[in-house]
Amino acid sequence: MEGYSADVDTEGIRSTIYFDESGNPNIRDLNPAVFVVAAVIIESRQALADLDRRFRNAFNAIGRPEDHEMKSASLSLRKHVRVLRELSLLDYEWAAVCFHKSNLTSAAFESPTTFYRYAYQFLVGDLISVYPRCNLVLDQNSTESSQLELEQHLRSMNSGLPVSRLGDIAFADSSKVRLVQLADLIAGAVRLAASGREHPLREIEERAVSLVHWPRLPSA
């Protein structure tokens, strides 16, 4: 699996959290009806050492070459389940926020860029209270200027915290970073569950640190 990476703080001081999303941040576009941001956290060195092997097994299980990027959008429901089942052998945790776009009424969210930044800060703000010293790795699926603006937004929104709380914010090529791909698979599973296709999410429920639906869904 040469060329693929997973960063780890060699001093064991900071957690590195990997992010990706599923859906689009245009609240007027209800296909899909939700926008999901998900994060993956691996703190075990053994799990990181096993990462390539687990992904190799997942690719073998669905009959795809391992030099591909694993993306939920390119998988059938059955293959999505199988991949998450194979990767469940990794020691990781995840968190996600699922935004139900038809219930977002604030005029500020009419701008997809504004909503996109809000969505990431929503999850980042929650996670840095659980992992108080962390670095962030986000998918670089936008222009360099957009990435810089998102980084500045995240730092500004968390500026009241101790300076050591939020470390590096990096943007990575998801085709080369398996943990960003895992975040994509989780975000896709949450998106599918919101439309009633819950099978992929069931494979990973036990590893969830947090799954928030926003605006909050009414109690059954």
Side-chain angles (χ1 to χ4, degrees):
M1 303 281 277
E2 185 177 355
Y4 295 96
S5 64
D7 296 329
V8 62
D9 180 351
T10 56
E11 299 300 324
I13 296 173
R14 290 187 179 275
S15 302
T16 301
I17 307 177
Y18 298 79
F19 294 81
D20 206 352
E21 72 268 1
S22 183
N24 68 73
N26 182 352
I27 67 170
R28 296 303 178 193
D29 181 356
L30 298 182
N31 183 24
V34 298
F35 179 66
V36 180
V37 180
V40 172
I41 309 97
I42 292 186
E43 297 187 290
S44 162
R45 287 182 174 81
Q46 182 59 52
L48 286 167
D50 286 345
L51 186 65
D52 286 351
R53 179 166 63 92
R54 297 303 181 192
F55 264 89
R56 188 180 306 116
N57 291 345
F59 276 109
N60 289 338
I62 62 172
R64 291 192 182 181
E66 60 190 59
D67 60 347
H68 280 46
E69 180 177 0
M70 192 75 82
K71 290 187 71 68
S72 59
S74 67
L75 298 174
S76 67
L77 193 66
R78 180 182 64 82
K79 289 184 176 180
H80 198 165
V81 169
R82 186 64 186 275
V83 165
L84 287 174
R85 186 172 297 161
E86 292 291 335
L87 296 178
S88 69
L89 297 173
L90 281 169
D91 183 13
Y92 72 88
E93 297 177 315
W94 65 270
V97 55
C98 180
F99 295 91
H100 295 260
K101 293 193 283 188
S102 62
N103 295 331
L104 297 173
T105 58
S106 171
F109 296 149
E110 293 289 339
S111 164
T113 299
T114 299
F115 175 52
Y116 186 85
R117 294 173 188 162
Y118 175 88
Y120 265 87
Q121 168 54 27
F122 192 110
L123 185 55
V124 168
D126 280 352
L127 287 176
I128 59 178
S129 66
V130 179
Y131 304 94
R133 292 175 55 83
C134 60
N135 299 320
L136 312 181
V137 179
L138 291 72
D139 186 9
Q140 62 177 28
N141 61 353
S142 59
T143 65
E144 288 188 11
S145 61
S146 296
Q147 293 167 18
L148 178 59
E149 289 168 359
L150 177 57
E151 177 180 356
Q152 291 173 339
H153 177 76
L154 294 175
R155 292 196 182 281
S156 173
M157 293 301 294
N158 295 289
S159 61
L161 298 172
V163 293
S164 62
R165 182 68 61 91
L166 184 56
D168 295 336
I169 299 177
F171 293 84
D173 180 352
S174 62
S175 69
K176 298 297 184 183
V177 181
R178 292 303 192 197
L179 292 178
V180 174
Q181 294 175 35
L182 180 53
D184 171 86
L185 292 168
I186 292 167
V190 173
R191 175 181 55 79
L192 289 169
S195 65
R197 293 169 287 177
E198 298 179 351
H199 297 81
L201 186 61
R202 289 173 184 161
E203 296 294 328
I204 58 175
E205 285 179 321
E206 292 184 355
R207 296 195 174 276
V209 174
S210 173
L211 173 55
V212 176
H213 289 269
W214 196 87
R216 296 191 183 278
L217 299 178
S219 302

